[in-house]
Amino acid sequence: MDTPYLQPSSLMQHKQHAKNIIQVLSLYGFITDSYIIEFFTDNLWEKLPDSWRSALSGLSSPELADELLSNKDPKTFRSVWPLSLLTLKAAAHYLAFSRIPLHEADNTHQKMPPEFQSNCSQSCMLAPLFRKHVKPKKQHEIRQLGKLVNKLKAITACDQVVDIGSGQGHLSRFLSFGQGLSVTAVEADKNLVTMAIKFDQHLMYMLQKEKERSSKNDICQANNIISAKPPRHVLAWVDPMESWEDLLMKLDYTYTEQENMKFNQAGDLSQSVEGSGETVLSPEKNRQSPYGFNDCHNFNMGIHSSHFSNSARTSVLHKFLLTGLHACGDLSVAMLRHFARCPSVVGITSVACCYMKISTPELPQPPGVLSASHLGKTTQPVEYGYPMSSWVAQLPGHKLSYKAREVACHAIEDYTERLQNESTILRTHCYRAVLETVIRSIDPTMKRAGVQTIKKAHELPFKEYARLGLKRVGLDPDTPLNEASVEHMLSQHQNVIAFFTLALLLAPLVETLILLDRIIYLQEEGFHCELIPLFKPKFSPRNLVLVAAKKDNFLHDLLEEIKASDVSFDCI
């Protein structure tokens, strides 16, 4: 049985671990580098060894799930597998970080966490006020991460928390009201900040109503609300290229409620409500977020230095923890660098996502991420999101393609379930691969055209799917199809599924290497850190949290806390 990765490892062990993964990917990385839509145009099946094709050809979807993606030995093999394929499977499962939380080791067959057994949309272990506007997945995440942050707070003796990429503020609210922490929520999107403030106000309004009702009835109701102090909200982009001094400057600029009202009257934010907490502005102007938002620029329009009076300018944070729930791309990288370099940051919990949006020397500006070059030239050396550590950077073969990093973001458990149930959704990859050949036969210059998702594509006849797809890329939807060729390709749909399953077998190695690089970076900088599987992976696929603190032996204390907890924070 797969056991949780909860034992601290040395820097030497992590370096060897990274080296072993790179050796495997150097041999078989072409699989994760491949685009499944090019299965036919690039003859991907023929790129596999003959013995592999012979072993995988004709396997049903449940057999692929059982014989490739499961880390347990299958009961039977339809044929004798080549040693190279067996070795790859064993190495992939052995080298990947375990994603099974300690409390889930004996409960891996259930998709929903125990807190949702009685109601699939409402966590029974989260107060009703924290569940409002929050989807079940997010409920599970904020509760688990919030409890971990609270444990880190106890170990570091620091109750100040900065939530990076706070979005609508769900985690920040739980940390503030549910854990009693002093929270600063940092978000680059004005619309999300506005929504977060509205949710804060609504929660405080409901608290007040409940207090009045309890007082009137002379009763005391337990609602798991520890504090009535809302988060401070900072509208700012955390630039991965900025220094930690710049981060502190953004966090330190605040203005009074009176100035907030004046700013609101300019129409740039929803009207302030008494008791809604502070709102903080980044002092810079004309700044654009690289995450696809222009809101920082719009939000700061009309704000002048006079708005930041000496009386309002205060040093808000002297010592604090950093946290981020699924901080996208280089945002999670920036958090780690700020932790390593900023004396004020004493601890961090980082849950990363969107690895394909990480900058690399080969792809400094990934698709969908705006360049920060317009912000001015920097005198500092350019630092990329991967690799972070000097050790990984010098290893031959360490490079990870955009596609490999994108595959590492897939929900493997969901795909495994589709294989086991022989879901008709599985045919979508084959449909898109056939459509790619049709598109290129019409216009050879159109490669990987953005067809986007076609609703319920797997339920459509291929002719209808092709008609819709051609229309979306600007081609004649009534273009005649070579029906014999199309039928031949569609008959190979199981091979398409087998190839993609191989890619998902290797995907955890890519994620593990990225996270190992971050661990090694922190260890190179002299810090203790560890990676903990925190969320149920079938429920929240990106479930690994990187924890570090500037305190000797904190890991031992933290891991002992987790082991001693009742099913890992399941009791509030």
Side-chain angles (χ1 to χ4, degrees), residues 219-278:
I219 59 174
C220 180
Q221 293 184 354
N223 55 23
N224 297 115
I225 304 297
I226 296 176
S227 169
K229 182 181 179 182
R232 294 171 60 245
H233 289 281
V234 174
L235 179 66
W237 165 40
V238 178
D239 182 357
M241 300 303 295
E242 285 183 336
S243 67
W244 61 264
E245 292 90 348
D246 293 321
L247 174 65
L248 291 186
M249 183 174 66
K250 292 177 179 180
L251 299 179
D252 279 355
Y253 273 79
T254 182
Y255 60 104
T256 63
E257 183 68 18
Q258 183 179 3
E259 290 168 331
N260 184 25
M261 288 294 292
K262 291 179 181 179
F263 181 67
N264 288 333
Q265 290 170 4
D268 289 291
L269 188 64
S270 61
Q271 291 297 312
S272 175
V273 175
E274 184 177 357
S276 63
E278 291 180 299

Side-chain angles (χ1 to χ4, degrees), residues 539-571:
F539 206 56
S540 178
R542 304 279 70 76
N543 73 329
L544 296 168
V545 54
L546 181 56
V547 188
K550 296 173 182 175
K551 179 180 182 294
D552 293 338
N553 298 323
F554 100 94
L555 274 179
H556 177 270
D557 296 340
L558 181 63
L559 297 182
E560 287 302 315
E561 278 277 327
I562 293 175
K563 291 176 182 178
S565 297
D566 186 2
V567 288
S568 186
F569 322 136
D570 273 354
C571 292

Side-chain angles (χ1 to χ4, degrees), residues 394-432:
Q394 57 84 36
L395 289 176
H398 74 271
K399 297 178 182 179
L400 294 174
S401 68
Y402 174 89
K403 185 57 182 176
R405 289 180 279 120
E406 188 271 334
V407 169
C409 295
H410 279 255
I412 298 175
E413 288 78 14
D414 281 352
Y415 194 80
T416 300
E417 185 176 351
R418 291 175 182 177
L419 290 173
Q420 292 169 338
N421 296 332
E422 296 188 278
S423 170
T424 55
I425 297 177
L426 294 171
R427 73 177 61 164
T428 305
H429 280 148
C430 186
Y431 268 24
R432 182 60 184 88

